Amino acid sequence: MARPTPLSGFPEFSPAERIAEQRVLDTLRATFESWGFASLQTRAVEPMGQLLRKGEIDKEVYVLRRLHADPDEEQDPDRTLGLHFDLTVPFARYVLENSGKLQFPFKRYQIQSVWRGERPQEGRYREFTQADIDVVGDGELPFHADVEVAQVMAEAMGRLPLPPLRMQVNNRKLIEGFYLGLGAADAAAVMRAVDKIDKLPADAVRALLVAEAGLDGDQADLCLRLATISGTDASFAGEVRALGVEHPLLDEGLEELVRVVEAVAPLATDRFTAVADLRIARGLDYYTGTVFETRMAGFESLGSICSGGRYDSLASDGAKTYPGVGISLGVTRTLAPLFARGRIAVSRSVPTVVVVALADEGSRPACQAVAAQLRARGTAVEVSPNAAKFGKQIRYADRRGIPFVWFPQDDGTHQVKDIRSGEQVPADPSTWVPPAEDLLPSVVAG
């Protein structure tokens, strides 16, 4: 059999990398649940008609079919199945399908794999894990849900073992109201042009505003000035007012953005900051208010790793509309480049804290009994795979980063050795526990 080759776009993580990934996922789960978000898992597939109803990424959907599928089935979008490309579409379907059973506002988090058939590159994969939180209302959703979603993700990101993260927040009402107050005939065209400000020089964006959005030079300049405004506190609002543009929608959006920024500011850490950034618009048309994008220091080329916003029509059954607000962290998008560049360090590649040493194979049952006593109090333990010389058994532990080796003694007593310091002390398997900092592998950003 020929040697297998890697499959592009489908990352596989080593045991050490999986430890780091699981630490991130555990942190996310714990934070989400501490705010009352319930876990949800939806199916991996949806009817193609559901997946393609907006037509944005029809070329990226993976079709699921049997090897000997019925040709008629393949032509029917309601019978043909595709793997979901995000968690929002299946969530919207779930809300509609189960609305009679749900208590609103419905707060859920969802951590699952998704699939997209796009060209693989750093930060973009064909299979990857996302972590989403959303709050959905029945007919209406108070604005404090926007604030809460921002606070939850800010708290979670501040706890992650990642390079510093910067959440950029804006409000579609603010920028649309500003454009309307300027007299723009097509606010959406202005928004699309300004959304390219990170990809094009300011002069090129100005030219687009004039040629494609129909603005004059003064109007275009004001739009560019608005896009330069940012701040970590409410002072940015004064800079917006100083531009002299007025519109009721601008007032509403400005007030909402101030509320989000002021609520998130106290959660700033050395790993996380939030800033009002009036360049941010998000390209998708369904956002109607608050919008989020997040960049990771040193990895700005990845673009946003955590995005979302307010959408007042998450789903509709014709009689009712379910507005929502949500934000999604691309877990694989964030971690895979860090792994590739050695930017995350893990103290050990296995969960094991203690290796019980074997004097000879005949002592294995007794050593297994010792290991069971230690495991009973939550310590990860393994018995040495063989009865080699103790020096080799210690090296076995050291190569894996396992900090302790346990030595049963001939007289029935026990000793435990910290192989990092060399200290070896008496220990009782019925009471001994490792230091709290050694119980789990440590994960730090390099």
Side-chain angles (χ1 to χ4, degrees):
M1 180 178 175
R3 188 182 190 85
T5 57
L7 190 57
S8 177
F10 295 88
E12 295 179 316
F13 293 160
S14 69
E17 292 166 346
R18 280 287 287 167
I19 286 174
E21 182 192 38
Q22 288 302 310
R23 184 63 53 82
V24 167
L25 297 181
D26 289 345
T27 300
L28 294 173
R29 278 189 287 263
T31 306
F32 298 161
E33 291 181 5
S34 74
W35 284 77
F37 284 73
S39 178
L40 175 67
Q41 179 167 316
T42 57
R43 64 201 186 205
V45 298
E46 298 289 339
M48 291 298 290
Q50 176 77 9
L51 288 173
L52 302 181
R53 73 187 193 279
K54 293 186 177 179
E56 288 124 340
I57 64 168
D58 56 307
K59 295 181 180 179
E60 298 179 6
V61 175
Y62 280 109
V63 177
L64 186 72
R65 61 182 293 271
R66 293 178 294 113
L67 183 60
H68 301 290
D70 182 346
D72 293 336
E73 180 180 324
E74 294 185 8
Q75 301 303 316
D76 185 346
D78 292 324
R79 296 174 64 194
T80 303
L81 301 177
L83 293 169
H84 59 222
F85 56 82
D86 70 4
L87 299 179
T88 301
V89 169
F91 178 52
R93 186 267 309 160
Y94 181 89
V95 170
L96 285 176
E97 193 173 308
N98 297 278
S99 59
K101 306 172 188 176
L102 301 177
Q103 296 295 317
F104 292 96
F106 179 45
K107 298 166 58 174
R108 83 84 169 88
Y109 76 88
Q110 197 166 343
I111 302 174
Q112 285 185 236
S113 292
V114 298
W115 296 266
R116 292 184 188 175
E118 59 183 353
R119 184 174 67 85
Q121 55 186 296
E122 186 175 59
R124 293 190 179 275
Y125 309 98
R126 291 171 173 170
E127 179 182 20
F128 52 97
T129 299
Q130 287 190 184
D132 287 24
I133 55 171
D134 287 83
V135 182
V136 177
D138 182 355
E140 62 179 5
L141 184 68
F143 180 74
H144 63 71
D146 295 46
V147 176
E148 181 172 311
V149 163
Q151 290 174 309
V152 174
M153 193 57 85
E155 184 175 308
M157 289 195 292
R159 295 174 175 175
L160 298 179
L162 303 175
L165 301 172
R166 180 181 177 89
M167 178 189 283
Q168 300 159 289
V169 191
N170 200 1
N171 192 291
R172 293 282 286 258
K173 296 176 187 176
L174 187 163
I175 53 180
E176 183 177 354
F178 187 89
Y179 303 151
L180 293 174
L182 277 177
D186 187 349
V190 178
M191 204 175 299
R192 287 193 295 272
V194 174
D195 195 41
K196 299 176 182 178
I197 202 164
D198 285 333
K199 301 175 183 177
L200 299 174
D203 288 346
V205 176
R206 186 179 188 276
L208 287 175
L209 289 169
V210 173
E212 298 183 6
L215 302 186
D216 62 32
D218 291 340
Q219 291 172 320
D221 289 339
L222 280 172
C223 290
L224 292 174
R225 288 175 61 187
L226 179 74
T228 65
I229 295 174
S230 65
T232 57
D233 57 35
S235 62
F236 75 90
E239 297 181 56
V240 176
R241 294 294 186 200
L243 296 179
V245 177
E246 296 183 358
H247 193 276
L249 194 61
L250 167 62
D251 296 338
E252 184 179 348
L254 194 57
E255 179 186 352
E256 290 182 353
L257 185 55
V258 166
R259 286 179 61 185
V260 172
V261 170
E262 289 186 331
V264 178
L267 299 171
T269 69
D270 58 346
R271 294 180 180 175
F272 172 82
T273 55
V275 58
D277 190 330
L278 275 61
R279 295 175 300 169
I280 304 303
R282 302 293 295 145
L284 299 176
D285 292 339
Y286 57 71
Y287 289 116
T288 57
T290 309
V291 288
F292 307 98
E293 291 190 354
T294 307
R295 265 76 179 175
M296 184 164 60
F299 293 83
E300 289 81 4
S301 62
L302 296 177
S304 178
I305 62 164
C306 182
S307 308
R310 174 73 176 234
Y311 33 81
D312 286 327
S313 297
L314 168 71
S316 177
D317 59 9
K320 287 185 177 181
T321 296
Y322 301 91
V325 59
I327 188 166
S328 173
L329 173 64
V331 178
T332 309
R333 180 181 178 86
T334 302
L335 293 179
L338 294 175
F339 294 153
R341 302 186 195 182
R343 292 291 301 275
I344 290 185
V346 180
S347 60
R348 57 185 187 263
S349 61
V350 293
T352 310
V353 184
V354 186
V355 170
V356 180
L358 279 174
D360 52 58
E361 279 300 325
S363 65
R364 186 174 291 276
C367 290
Q368 291 284 17
V370 170
Q373 286 184 281
L374 296 171
R375 290 191 196 106
R377 290 185 307 283
T379 300
V381 186
E382 59 181 278
V383 176
S384 179
N386 56 59
K389 292 181 179 180
F390 284 155
K392 289 186 176 180
Q393 295 185 57
I394 291 172
R395 285 196 293 276
Y396 169 84
D398 185 47
R399 285 195 298 269
R400 289 157 180 77
I402 301 169
F404 296 97
V405 177
W406 191 278
F407 295 99
Q409 304 297 300
D410 293 339
D411 61 1
T413 62
H414 301 263
Q415 293 188 1
V416 65
K417 181 183 185 71
D418 184 334
I419 64 174
R420 299 163 298 186
S421 66
E423 182 182 17
Q424 185 166 322
V425 297
D428 184 342
S430 67
T431 59
W432 185 85
V433 292
E437 62 270 20
D438 289 324
L439 194 59
L440 295 172
S442 61
V443 181
V444 295

